[in-house]
Amino acid sequence: MDYSKHGTHKKEKHIRSDIPKAKHKVSFNIFRIFIFALIAIGVMGISAAVGGLRGVLDSAPQISVEDVIPEGYKSFIYDRDGNLLTQLYQPETNRIQKSISEIPEVLQNAFIALEDERFREHNGIDPKGIVRAFVVGITSGDFSEGASTITQQLLKINVFGGGDEDSLLLKFKRKFQEQYLALELEKNMSKDEILEAYLNTINLGASTYGVEAASQRYFGKSCSEVNASEAAVLASIAKSPTWYDPIYYPENNRERRDKTLENMLEQGYLTQAEYDEAMADDVYTRIAAHAEEQSGETTIFTYYEDAAIRQVLQDLQDKLGYTEEQAINKLYGGGLKVYLAQDNQMQNIVDEEYRDDSNFGYNNALGLEWRCSVLEEDGSTSNYDQMTMQYWYWENENAGFRLIYNNADEAWADINHYKEALGITEENTLAETFEQPYALQSSFVLMDQRTGEVKAIAGGRNEKTTSLSFSRETQSTRQPGSCFKVLGCYLPGIDAAGLTLASTKTDAPYTTPSGYTPSNWYSGYWGLATVRYAITQSMNVVTTKFFVEDVTPELAIEYCEKLGITTLTDSDYVESFALGGLTYGVTNLEMTGAYAAIANGGKFVRPVFYTKVLDRDGNVILDNTNQEGEQVIKESTAYLLTSAMQDVVTKGTGTAARLSDGMDAAGKTGTTTDSKDLWFVGYTPYLTAGVWLGYDQSYSMEGQLNETEHEYLWAKIMNRIDSECGYEPTSFTVPDSVGTRTVCSKSGKLVGTSVCTPITEYFDLSALPTGYCSDHYGAYICSVCGGLANENSPSSTYREYNSSSEIPTRQCTCKPETESKTEESTSPSESSTTTPTTEPTAPTTPTDPTAPTPVG
């Protein structure tokens, strides 16, 4: 054997075997680096996720046990004299506190079986439920199955305001915080305490919150007396209080009740015999019968009580920092005592006049409020109402279709035709409601301008049938028309833009730099006009000129917001703003409140419906008894506007609102395009009131009414209040900052020519006029030929002109009369050379010797 060769061979073999080992080593290193990278990325990702989650949890609300327990005390509303008016338990809540020992196990178990079967076992969150919901969502594509525990639901309602987030991201954020707080809450509360809080909190439809109030509402008995079937009915409502309402949607509730009973059977809460008995129970017949018995017993809040409730809820949020849900819980479960600012005598007067159909021109045509829920073939639900019906008629059959009827048969004919076109039948109709209020509607607000107290209101003409229903005086935003000229143009103009009541513009065709061309409500144009005259006669063109050339939208909106107008947007920075052309309109309450600031010497005091709110221990938590208000315009500005608006009532567009008892009154009319809205807002030295008249659907009233009914109604109510409530006739007080001067009625300047017609005008003493009139001219014109009068003119007439270019240049061409005739001519011989009057030497004192001396 050749060992040398063999050794060489072995060496070569060894060298060759090293090559793949080197490659393997490199590959392993790359793999190791890859693994390390993945681990690093994973760690970084986990760290980021943990950091993000920590940030979400750190931002969770700080809560205590008290935050999730409803206070459970009814609140009460009293009149200003302390007489009880109503209890606050309906419609937004009707909670009657019950301890867990008073709630039977069958009712507790019904909620647990349906909502959270492992409630007694988990520590606040249910991992099995989360996994189950996730699997169902992945396999079916339906992620609607809930995994929230009862503890989480309690937090969702009382801490997170019901969880109505705008985005999926916010929903996930709330879910994580909810789960975290659920774990924390269960460290401090027992299961019975959590369940008790939940069963006293949950919304169970028909304006009831908590199992006791719901049991009283549906069964007419305490929750301690319910059987298994009734317990399952209550538990079935919680998921959707409207959809599973056992009164209006019994079939929907029945389906979920059956599921609840099945769960109770499967989870051992019911025996088979108990289950069979519950399934056979005709509970919905009893519910319907009890609802029928209660139909005439429900206490309906008045429009005033509605407004007070809404304002208290808002003030709890704005002044005390409550969330919306906390405010509701406080008002409806905190044992509060609310004292109204309402004057019962004034309210009775308003109510009586609104029940008198003659105040509305006997316009008793009926409107329509119709709603219909329909089950579609795909299992979804569609909702229709009178507005969807109106739009359908407009688009398909009649562009002039209106929801105005003489009787129910006419309305049903339109409804049935609409339903037939859409394929709506009795079989697929789930629910349907039908009402016919008056078509022509109105609202009224009466307030004391000094205190801000709203004394009386009317939210509509019809008898009120539901609590917290739509109220036109506080919730309906309408176009204010010319009522807004004072607020949007003349108030800021006089207060901050150098205008006076004697400032002038020429009423003539006008187009703004942006291309807007206003038109007057009357035909033609009236020439030179002062601010006073423009307000009195509600002149559109002149108002627009003042607004564009002197006031500006920026200044106007700044003032309107200080006057309490909250509905303005960036879209309102336009010329039509001065004429009341607003994007969203304005409520009667805010219009009246703004005018009340003028009546109150320029001091805005917020309109309030209650004087004070006490907690159940008697402590005042909200107080409106001594509102200071804010001086938003000068006292002189307020009086100047008042003086001009007195003319509106005595000789302008609002004479129908003139009071008959000698009381001073000032105000402004407002009529929108096609008379869709009719307004009058005015005041006396004591009270401010606003009235609106129109159709809810903004139909035209042109030609249907005299269009002064609302003004007569305003005057009728105010006259009665003055006489029946003890207000003695008096005049507005002229402040020390206001004085008078004699000026030309045309130009508003100090009288300077013989052509001027002198009038006495009010001015802020810091803005008295200094210039003399030279703005118009006069000449004698031949009554026969129209030329400049001379010695040949048989007779002549003196005429005024706004400019020299308007005066005729042609001389009278009439033939000479006899000498005797000439001597009897009515024209002076010097008139043959009459020329435009030019500015004379300015007089040093007003030319009217009877003019009052300056005040102050």
Side-chain angles (χ1 to χ4, degrees):
M1 180 176 294
D2 188 342
Y3 287 99
S4 63
K5 289 181 180 180
H6 180 71
T8 303
H9 175 74
K10 287 178 67 177
K11 185 176 182 180
E12 289 173 354
K13 184 177 180 180
H14 175 72
I15 293 172
R16 285 195 300 268
S17 65
D18 282 346
I19 294 173
K21 286 183 179 181
K23 291 181 178 179
H24 176 73
K25 185 175 182 180
V26 172
S27 299
F28 177 75
N29 287 336
I30 293 173
F31 176 73
R32 184 167 57 183
I33 293 170
F34 177 71
I35 292 299
F36 286 158
L38 283 179
I39 293 173
I41 293 171
V43 170
M44 292 171 63
I46 292 171
S47 298
V50 170
L53 181 59
R54 174 51 58 189
V56 169
L57 298 183
D58 287 344
S59 65
Q62 298 295 316
I63 66 166
S64 64
V65 171
E66 288 74 19
D67 292 320
V68 297
I69 297 178
E71 294 184 80
Y73 299 97
K74 288 183 179 180
S75 293
F76 306 90
I77 294 181
Y78 300 89
D79 67 15
R80 62 189 306 113
D81 299 320
N83 300 309
L84 179 63
L85 298 175
T86 189
Q87 299 178 10
L88 286 182
Y89 60 88
Q90 191 175 356
E92 292 231 338
T93 185
N94 178 10
R95 178 180 290 109
I96 303 174
Q97 182 75 17
K98 286 291 180 180
S99 67
I100 195 68
S101 63
E102 297 173 291
I103 302 174
E105 286 191 2
V106 68
L107 183 53
Q108 298 177 38
N109 294 336
F111 278 90
I112 291 173
L114 185 62
E115 296 291 334
D116 188 2
E117 63 178 293
R118 282 174 287 279
F119 171 71
R120 297 288 183 186
E121 304 164 12
H122 63 64
N123 60 352
I125 61 175
D126 183 10
K128 290 182 180 179
I130 295 172
V131 172
R132 184 198 67 243
F134 180 75
V135 171
V136 170
I138 291 295
T139 55
S140 68
D142 181 8
F143 287 89
S144 64
E145 181 166 343
S148 293
T149 64
I150 283 176
T151 311
Q152 288 177 248
Q153 291 182 46
L154 181 63
L155 289 163
K156 177 182 176 181
I157 296 169
N158 286 340
V159 176
F160 293 98
D164 188 18
E165 291 83 10
D166 295 330
S167 69
L168 186 62
L169 181 62
L170 290 176
K171 182 176 182 179
F172 277 125
K173 178 181 177 181
R174 188 258 303 164
K175 278 286 187 183
F176 283 130
Q177 292 179 340
E178 204 177 81
Q179 292 170 352
Y180 165 70
L181 292 177
L183 294 171
E184 295 298 310
L185 190 64
E186 294 226 3
K187 296 176 183 177
N188 298 289
M189 294 181 71
S190 68
K191 289 292 185 179
D192 278 352
E193 288 172 334
I194 291 172
L195 187 59
E196 177 184 305
Y198 174 78
L199 294 177
N200 280 292
T201 298
I202 192 70
N203 181 355
L204 294 175
S207 302
T208 62
Y209 284 68
V211 292
E212 175 66 11
S215 181
Q216 296 281 4
R217 175 69 177 91
Y218 298 120
F219 313 126
K221 61 184 179 182
S222 171
C223 69
S224 61
E225 304 174 65
V226 300
N227 60 31
S229 173
E230 293 164 341
V233 167
L234 295 180
S236 300
I237 299 170
K239 183 177 182 180
S240 177
T242 299
W243 182 244
Y244 294 110
D245 185 317
I247 296 175
Y248 295 105
Y249 301 103
E251 292 306 317
N252 297 347
N253 185 277
R254 182 192 299 275
E255 182 179 348
R256 192 161 174 80
R257 182 208 66 158
D258 294 349
K259 174 178 173 57
T260 304
L261 292 173
E262 289 173 8
N263 286 5
M264 294 177 74
L265 177 64
E266 292 172 0
Q267 295 170 32
Y269 294 123
L270 294 178
T271 65
Q272 185 64 50
E274 291 169 335
Y275 168 78
D276 293 340
E277 181 182 359
M279 289 292 289
D281 181 27
D282 188 14
V283 63
Y284 297 101
T285 298
R286 297 199 305 276
I287 291 173
H290 183 66
E292 181 66 24
E293 291 174 7
Q294 288 189 313
S295 61
E297 301 176 3
T298 303
T299 299
I300 305 300
F301 297 151
T302 65
Y303 282 119
Y304 199 101
E305 290 164 352
D306 282 355
I309 289 168
R310 291 184 175 112
Q311 190 170 65
V312 170
L313 287 172
Q314 193 62 52
D315 285 355
L316 286 171
Q317 297 172 66
D318 296 343
K319 296 184 177 183
L320 300 183
Y322 287 81
T323 65
E324 181 179 1
E325 191 67 30
Q326 289 169 340
I328 291 172
N329 289 338
K330 187 69 174 178
L331 180 57
Y332 289 95
L336 303 183
K337 295 180 179 179
V338 180
Y339 291 86
L340 302 186
Q342 183 180 37
D343 185 292
N344 293 332
Q345 187 176 12
M346 295 182 189
Q347 185 65 62
N348 288 336
I349 291 172
V350 172
D351 290 343
E352 288 171 10
E353 295 303 331
Y354 265 73
R355 286 193 293 265
D356 185 349
D357 292 339
S358 68
N359 289 324
F360 303 94
Y362 292 101
N363 188 323
N364 295 333
L366 302 174
L368 177 63
E369 291 181 4
W370 168 77
R371 292 174 180 82
C372 183
S373 295
V374 177
L375 180 65
E376 304 292 359
E377 292 182 358
D378 62 0
S380 63
T381 301
S382 297
N383 297 306
Y384 304 91
D385 60 17
Q386 72 276 3
M387 297 309 296
T388 63
M389 183 176 86
Q390 177 176 259
Y391 294 141
W392 182 87
Y393 272 99
W394 284 351
E395 294 175 0
N396 295 278
E397 293 196 358
N398 180 6
F401 177 82
R402 306 207 309 177
L403 298 166
I404 300 178
Y405 302 97
N406 293 310
N407 52 57
D409 290 341
E410 291 181 359
W412 276 113
D414 283 346
I415 292 171
N416 290 331
H417 179 65
Y418 173 59
K419 291 168 64 175
E420 183 180 356
L422 269 62
I424 300 174
T425 64
E426 290 186 11
E427 289 72 22
N428 63 9
T429 298
L430 298 172
E432 190 169 16
T433 62
F434 175 89
E435 288 185 49
Q436 283 197 284
Y438 283 128
L440 183 66
Q441 284 294 338
S442 180
S443 70
F444 191 86
V445 176
L446 175 71
M447 62 180 288
D448 184 325
Q449 54 256 26
R450 293 163 298 175
T451 65
E453 293 179 0
V454 178
K455 297 298 187 182
I457 61 173
R461 293 179 59 196
N462 294 89
E463 180 180 354
K464 202 165 181 287
T465 58
T466 57
S467 294
L468 293 181
S469 56
F470 177 70
S471 190
R472 293 167 185 83
E473 86 291 348
T474 57
Q475 294 180 300
S476 179
T477 53
R478 305 293 298 214
Q479 295 301 319
S482 295
C483 262
F484 211 72
K485 290 174 181 173
V486 171
L487 305 180
C489 180
Y490 294 112
L491 182 149
I494 292 174
D495 203 65
L499 299 185
T500 72
L501 291 181
S503 298
T504 58
K505 297 288 183 185
T506 301
D507 186 20
Y510 176 65
T511 299
T512 69
S514 68
Y516 174 64
T517 304
S519 58
N520 291 316
W521 60 267
Y522 48 84
S523 60
Y525 301 92
W526 293 349
L528 205 63
T530 63
V531 165
R532 176 185 289 275
Y533 193 69
I535 292 174
T536 303
Q537 299 302 326
S538 198
M539 301 173 74
N540 292 343
V541 174
V542 168
T543 300
T544 305
K545 283 186 175 183
F546 278 120
F547 182 74
V548 172
E549 298 171 6
D550 299 278
V551 177
T552 75
E554 290 75 17
L555 181 64
I557 288 179
E558 177 186 344
Y559 268 87
C560 286
E561 289 176 343
K562 290 193 292 185
L563 288 162
I565 308 297
T566 64
T567 54
L568 307 180
T569 71
D570 290 343
S571 301
D572 288 313
Y573 287 83
V574 292
E575 296 94 331
S576 58
F577 182 83
L579 306 183
L582 309 183
T583 303
Y584 294 115
V586 64
T587 66
N588 192 344
L589 180 67
E590 291 192 353
M591 281 290 290
T592 304
Y595 270 76
I598 305 173
N600 192 35
K603 181 179 287 189
F604 174 76
V605 183
R606 184 178 74 123
V608 294
F609 292 92
Y610 68 93
T611 57
K612 59 185 176 180
V613 176
L614 279 60
D615 65 16
R616 62 189 181 94
D617 296 321
N619 302 308
V620 177
I621 60 173
L622 293 171
D623 191 357
N624 290 325
T625 54
N626 293 297
Q627 293 195 100
E628 293 183 2
E630 180 184 0
Q631 194 75 35
V632 295
I633 60 173
K634 293 178 287 189
E635 188 179 22
S636 59
T637 300
Y639 181 76
L640 296 177
L641 293 170
T642 297
S643 177
M645 287 191 284
Q646 282 183 271
D647 282 358
V648 172
V649 174
T650 58
K651 56 187 177 184
T653 57
T655 54
R658 188 169 187 171
L659 301 183
S660 59
D661 58 2
M663 182 79 76
D664 265 9
K668 185 70 185 72
T669 54
T671 304
T672 61
T673 304
D674 299 325
S675 298
K676 293 179 180 178
D677 300 273
L678 299 176
W679 289 83
F680 183 80
V681 186
Y683 49 90
T684 70
Y686 304 106
L687 300 167
T688 303
V691 62
W692 166 84
L693 183 70
Y695 292 104
D696 288 337
Q697 297 84 3
S698 294
Y699 299 145
S700 170
M701 293 179 286
E702 200 163 37
Q704 300 177 31
L705 304 165
N706 293 328
E707 299 189 13
T708 52
E709 282 84 355
H710 60 301
E711 296 174 44
Y712 284 113
L713 175 60
W714 188 93
K716 193 173 181 182
I717 291 173
M718 298 301 280
N719 276 323
R720 284 192 60 186
I721 287 173
D722 288 345
S723 62
E724 296 176 30
C725 300
Y727 289 100
E728 293 295 329
T730 189
S731 302
F732 293 111
T733 302
V734 184
D736 293 341
S737 56
V738 171
T740 59
R741 287 294 184 271
T742 302
V743 297
C744 172
S745 64
K746 290 279 188 179
S747 68
K749 298 179 181 179
L750 294 171
V751 173
T753 76
S754 60
V755 181
C756 296
T757 301
I759 60 168
T760 299
E761 186 57 273
Y762 288 100
F763 294 89
D764 184 309
L765 290 178
S766 66
L768 295 171
T770 57
Y772 289 86
C773 179
S774 62
D775 292 352
H776 57 145
Y777 304 81
Y780 285 99
I781 303 299
C782 176
S783 303
V784 178
C785 71
L788 286 172
N790 54 34
E791 66 276 7
N792 298 328
S793 301
S795 64
S796 64
T797 302
Y798 187 78
R799 295 183 183 178
E800 295 180 6
Y801 298 90
N802 292 324
S803 67
S804 59
S805 62
E806 296 179 6
I807 299 177
T809 57
R810 178 176 58 84
Q811 289 286 324
C812 172
T813 57
C814 294
K815 293 182 179 180
E817 299 287 346
T818 62
E819 186 67 17
S820 61
K821 295 275 188 177
T822 301
E823 291 175 355
E824 296 171 2
S825 173
T826 58
S827 298
S829 59
E830 60 270 22
S831 70
S832 62
T833 58
T834 299
T835 57
T837 304
T838 58
E839 183 174 3
T841 303
T844 57
T845 58
T847 58
D848 184 357
T850 64
T853 56
V855 179

